[in-house]
Amino acid sequence: MRTLQQAWQRARRRRMVITLSLGLPWAAAATALALRVAGFDIACVIATVALLVTVGVAITRARHLDRRWLQRQLDGSGASEDSADLLFTDETALNPLQRRQRAHVLATLESAVPELRPRWPRAAVLLCVVGGGATALLALGWPHAGLSPVAAPATQAPPTTAGPLRLQSTRLRIEAPAYTGQPARTQNALDAKVAADSRLSWSVRFDRAPRTAWLQFHDGRRLPLREHEGQWQAQDVARTPVLYRIVSEPALADARLHRLDVVADRAPTVRVIDPPSSLVLGTPGQRQWTLRFEASDDHGVAARATLSITTTEGSGENITFARRSVALTGTGEPTARRFAHTLDLAALGAQPGNDVIAQLEVRDNHAPAPQIGRSNSVILRLPSTEAVRGAELEGRIKKTLPAYFRSQRQIIIDAEALIRERRRLAADGFMTRSDAIGVDQRILRMRYGQFLGEESEGAPKAPPTSDLPTSDVPAADTHDDDHAHDHDTQAGADDDHGHDHGGAAAVPQAPPVFGSATDVLSEYGHTHDHAEAATLLDPQTRATLKAALDQMWSSEGELRQGRPEQALPHAYKALGFIKQVQQAERIYLARVGPELPPIDEGRRLGGDRAGLASRALPLTARTPPDPVVVEAWQRLGDGDQTPDLDALAAWQQRNSAFLPDALDLAAAIEELRIEPGCDACRQRLRAQLWRAVQRPLPQVTRRNAADAMGQRYLDALEAQR
């Protein structure tokens, strides 16, 4: 069965090839006729349609060789013994005799398959090739004057040679430089945006041959068009953006402007990915430093880059530099490559107190000379031994000072735990634990109040609510060890969570703890009262801390009344304000008076003006706008006057580098030159000139005149004077 299938497919392919051989010569002939009569654009359409029709007919004719055709061919050849229909019937639906006959036919076909491919129509193929080729040659080679349009009516008058020329077809071929990687392309439109240094080839066809033709550019340059086999061609290299039109003798009916934008190749840009900042402070004992860069370019970055490494040593004026370079290989797409390298600080000889400066330099694929792009310099500053020691001491002190801001979270945890255990506790036990947490909230509020200059209290007092208990209930046993540890380590905290502090004066003073804020201030500084602690915070931080104290007060009141659910929102808000206080910048100012120089009483009101000079700032004269532009803009506003377009075009060429869009202004000038009476062209040019004229500097506005009431007030002042 497999051999039969292959023979069947070969027959279909033979039929398709025969059809294509018969139709393609005539498709080529039709294309040649359309090219000669109607131009290149119509010829492309005719060629596409003829090719599609030929291929469609070939596929249709090949599909006609279906299963019935195969059965007829097998039965007609005698190889199937008139049993070809059994080959395409389901074997399960056959009786034993039919199955035996089917197997016999298959065995016969496997040994000798008849020839199913149709014969080549050699005469017909030869006739089509000769006829189509002769028609195409005659269409392309016959003299132009002797060929009349196809299917022209007999009553139509012969074409006249008078009147303006018309373009039949236009073609622009753009070959970008090799470094861009862009393929060559051909387009019918004459407006284009191309890469710098692209090679341009124009090819235009007129309805009749002109005497001469050229490309006229807006800067005055001409590029002649030369005739070759009916096509007028020219070549140039795109270097600057230009406007141009096709000019011929006799003149064209449509001589509109075309715009050619030139995109210059940009230099590659390099972005530092790691480290995220330009200055990195090293850690003590650091041995490696990882660098990662990303280089991007519009057409591609070279795979090889150079990493410049500079190591500084010394301080002050005794600094020495050691420079070296490392070649890196990038990964990723050519337009966005990544470079990574890990520096071995020991191999570079970097010591504590030194700086390591790195900068990546990449090149793009621009020809003939590549463009260079450099990254920002990143600096690794290795700390000196003295700085490390100072940082360690400062770190130890800072780890102790934030103990003031650590217990609010534990109060929230205790309140949430109490809410979960409410069903397992008696009413009195629940009230006792809630009141104890409220006492802890009160102690924490008093400690925060010290930073706002509030006076400390000798014994805890209940908030001003009518139903609060008059005595504080000890709560030390209801908290876990972590909570107790938080309270015990806080500077200036009472040992028993604020319970029964009436005898605090009789308690012997504990020895100072290293790093504690109050002990450091009392031992090495001069403290007066808690009001001085308030100077450690800026006004915004003080306001945030005051808001936290208000929320603590509300939380304390709810806890002391046995309502921890209502206390949690206030406790969470207090915790949020405390987090803001932790992140705020502290301001430490020395409490000393200003040291101003003494006042020389002898110079006061003496009238001595020696050494005094005029403080008036000099006024710089501003360059006035070019009168050519101002006059043209004013004339365009008057519909009866026409500006000097030649002078305006010369000004545009001189100042093209400073204009927002020089080509738009040049196009507006040329449009008005072609159609002097076009009001829309005048308004368009006037709008372009308004963008080009420099704006006047803002002047001091005069004060508004006084109204009736204000005038009466001024008159009264004058009368009193």
Side-chain angles (χ1 to χ4, degrees):
M1 194 68 176
R2 180 180 179 83
T3 306
L4 180 61
Q5 290 286 347
Q6 293 176 353
W8 186 14
Q9 295 299 328
R10 286 196 299 269
R12 284 189 166 188
R13 287 194 295 269
R14 174 68 65 84
R15 174 66 66 86
M16 184 180 297
V17 173
I18 291 174
T19 306
L20 292 176
S21 301
L22 295 174
L24 288 179
W26 298 111
T31 303
L33 286 173
L35 181 62
R36 186 61 184 272
V37 174
F40 179 78
D41 296 338
I42 301 299
C44 291
V45 175
I46 295 297
T48 303
V49 173
L51 185 61
L52 293 176
V53 170
T54 305
V55 173
V57 171
I59 294 175
T60 303
R61 293 195 67 206
R63 289 182 177 177
H64 287 168
L65 306 184
D66 53 2
R67 184 179 300 177
R68 291 185 178 182
W69 174 86
L70 181 60
Q71 293 179 9
R72 291 195 301 268
Q73 293 295 323
L74 293 178
D75 292 340
S77 63
S80 63
E81 300 179 358
D82 294 335
S83 302
D85 56 335
L86 298 178
L87 301 177
F88 304 100
T89 306
D90 188 8
E91 190 175 358
T92 58
L94 301 177
N95 55 40
L97 182 59
Q98 290 175 333
R99 293 177 185 175
R100 184 179 183 85
Q101 178 65 15
R102 183 175 183 275
H104 174 68
V105 172
L106 285 176
T108 303
L109 293 177
E110 288 292 336
S111 59
V113 178
E115 180 62 39
L116 300 177
R117 294 180 297 178
R119 295 181 179 180
W120 274 97
R122 301 180 184 275
V125 172
L126 181 60
L127 180 61
C128 290
V129 171
V130 173
T135 304
L137 291 176
L138 288 175
L140 297 177
W142 197 269
H144 192 274
L147 186 65
S148 60
V150 178
T155 59
Q156 183 177 359
T160 177
T161 58
L165 288 175
R166 296 185 182 276
L167 289 174
Q168 283 189 343
S169 63
T170 58
R171 185 173 58 181
L172 175 61
R173 179 176 176 81
I174 304 169
E175 299 178 7
Y179 70 86
T180 62
Q182 300 177 1
R185 69 180 191 272
T186 302
Q187 61 183 34
N188 296 329
L190 297 181
D191 299 286
K193 179 182 291 187
V194 300
D197 300 330
S198 296
R199 189 165 189 83
L200 306 177
S201 300
W202 287 270
S203 179
V204 299
R205 181 183 291 273
F206 301 95
D207 58 351
R208 66 178 186 274
R211 291 190 296 271
T212 180
W214 66 91
L215 299 179
Q216 180 68 51
F217 296 93
H218 79 281
D219 55 1
R221 186 167 55 96
R222 284 188 176 188
L223 184 62
L225 291 170
R226 293 179 174 84
E227 193 272 338
H228 178 69
E229 296 182 356
Q231 300 282 342
W232 292 76
Q233 301 173 353
Q235 291 80 30
D236 195 14
V237 177
R239 304 191 186 277
T240 57
V242 292
L243 294 171
Y244 71 97
R245 63 162 55 93
I246 300 176
V247 182
S248 65
E249 292 182 1
L252 278 173
D254 183 13
R256 64 187 185 91
L257 282 173
H258 303 283
R259 178 166 180 162
L260 189 65
D261 290 311
V262 177
V263 181
D265 184 21
R266 299 192 305 268
T269 59
V270 186
R271 182 173 62 92
V272 182
I273 300 178
D274 194 14
S277 60
S278 59
L279 178 61
V280 181
L281 300 179
T283 58
Q286 182 175 353
R287 297 184 178 181
Q288 293 182 340
W289 189 27
T290 302
L291 302 172
R292 291 192 302 159
F293 304 88
E294 183 182 42
S296 58
D297 187 71
D298 46 1
H299 297 304
V301 181
R304 302 283 292 178
T306 302
L307 180 64
S308 302
I309 306 169
T310 304
T311 306
T312 65
E313 184 177 357
S315 60
E317 298 181 355
N318 299 324
I319 296 180
T320 59
F321 299 89
R323 294 182 175 87
R324 65 190 68 188
S325 300
V326 178
L328 302 182
T329 302
T331 58
E333 297 294 331
T335 55
R337 295 188 186 273
R338 292 206 171 190
F339 300 86
H341 186 67
T342 301
L343 296 179
D344 188 352
L345 301 180
L348 294 175
Q351 303 295 331
N354 297 355
D355 290 349
V356 180
I357 307 171
Q359 186 183 42
L360 185 69
E361 179 181 294
V362 300
R363 290 174 170 80
D364 62 2
N365 299 326
H366 187 273
Q371 301 182 97
I372 299 176
R374 296 180 178 87
S375 68
N376 297 331
S377 297
V378 289
I379 305 173
L380 173 64
R381 182 158 295 168
L382 299 176
S384 60
T385 306
E386 294 78 5
V388 172
R389 292 176 181 174
E392 291 178 353
L393 179 60
E394 183 181 0
R396 292 174 183 173
I397 296 177
K398 285 185 177 180
K399 289 179 181 179
T400 306
L401 286 179
Y404 287 97
F405 311 99
R406 249 194 344 218
S407 298
Q408 184 63 28
R409 187 182 299 276
Q410 187 61 44
I411 291 175
I412 294 175
I413 294 174
D414 292 345
E416 291 177 345
L418 179 61
I419 294 173
R420 290 193 299 268
E421 299 176 3
R422 184 167 192 166
R423 296 182 179 180
R424 299 195 299 269
L425 296 176
D428 295 341
F430 180 82
M431 185 66 185
T432 301
R433 289 187 56 179
S434 179
D435 183 72
I437 299 175
V439 173
D440 292 336
Q441 180 71 86
R442 175 178 175 274
I443 296 173
L444 183 61
R445 177 177 57 81
M446 293 171 57
R447 289 172 182 168
Y448 278 108
Q450 296 176 5
F451 288 88
L452 295 180
E454 298 180 359
E455 297 291 340
S456 61
E457 305 178 20
K461 299 178 182 179
T465 53
S466 59
D467 55 345
L468 286 179
T470 58
S471 61
D472 295 329
V473 181
D477 298 337
T478 62
H479 296 278
D480 54 11
D481 296 336
D482 294 338
H483 189 158
H485 178 70
D486 286 343
H487 285 272
D488 293 340
T489 56
Q490 295 174 353
D494 299 323
D495 295 335
D496 198 18
H497 291 273
H499 309 292
D500 294 336
H501 295 278
V507 179
Q509 184 176 4
V513 180
F514 177 76
S516 177
T518 54
D519 294 331
V520 171
L521 291 175
S522 62
E523 185 171 354
Y524 300 100
H526 182 64
T527 60
H528 296 278
D529 52 15
H530 296 300
E532 291 200 12
T535 62
L536 300 177
L537 303 175
D538 59 277
Q540 183 178 1
T541 307
R542 285 170 50 83
T544 306
L545 187 56
K546 180 64 171 61
L549 293 180
D550 295 341
Q551 297 297 329
M552 290 181 184
W553 178 270
S554 302
S555 174
E556 176 189 349
E558 300 294 344
L559 289 170
R560 298 293 294 271
Q561 298 182 73
R563 296 196 296 264
E565 295 88 351
Q566 288 80 358
L568 277 180
H570 302 290
Y572 273 112
K573 291 181 181 179
L575 180 60
F577 288 126
I578 292 173
K579 287 297 182 183
Q580 298 180 21
V581 173
Q582 289 178 345
Q583 298 172 2
E585 296 181 356
R586 274 67 169 177
I587 301 177
Y588 300 92
L589 299 176
R591 297 178 63 84
V592 295
E595 298 180 1
L596 301 177
I599 299 176
D600 186 5
E601 300 290 344
R603 296 190 60 185
R604 300 190 64 187
L605 304 178
D608 184 10
R609 301 178 59 85
L612 299 181
S614 176
R615 302 183 61 134
L617 297 177
L619 297 178
T620 58
R622 185 172 182 268
T623 304
D626 198 309
V628 174
V629 181
V630 176
E631 182 183 0
W633 186 81
Q634 293 175 349
R635 286 176 175 270
L636 289 171
D638 188 355
D640 298 335
Q641 300 183 14
T642 302
D644 189 353
L645 297 181
D646 294 335
L648 192 59
W651 177 88
Q652 182 270 337
Q653 294 178 13
R654 292 195 306 270
N655 300 272
S656 59
F658 310 101
L659 295 176
D661 196 335
L663 290 185
D664 281 351
L665 179 57
I669 295 173
E670 293 299 324
E671 288 177 359
L672 185 59
R673 192 191 303 274
I674 296 173
E675 301 180 19
C678 178
D679 293 337
C681 300
R682 296 175 64 91
Q683 296 301 324
R684 191 178 302 111
L685 178 57
R686 197 165 190 261
Q688 292 293 335
L689 290 178
W690 177 254
R691 295 177 56 192
V693 174
Q694 295 181 352
R695 303 294 185 272
L697 296 176
Q699 303 295 328
V700 178
T701 58
R702 292 183 174 273
R703 181 179 300 175
N704 296 331
D707 54 4
M709 182 180 296
Q711 190 62 39
R712 288 197 300 269
Y713 176 74
L714 295 177
D715 295 341
L717 290 179
E718 291 293 337
Q720 292 180 3
R721 182 181 299 179

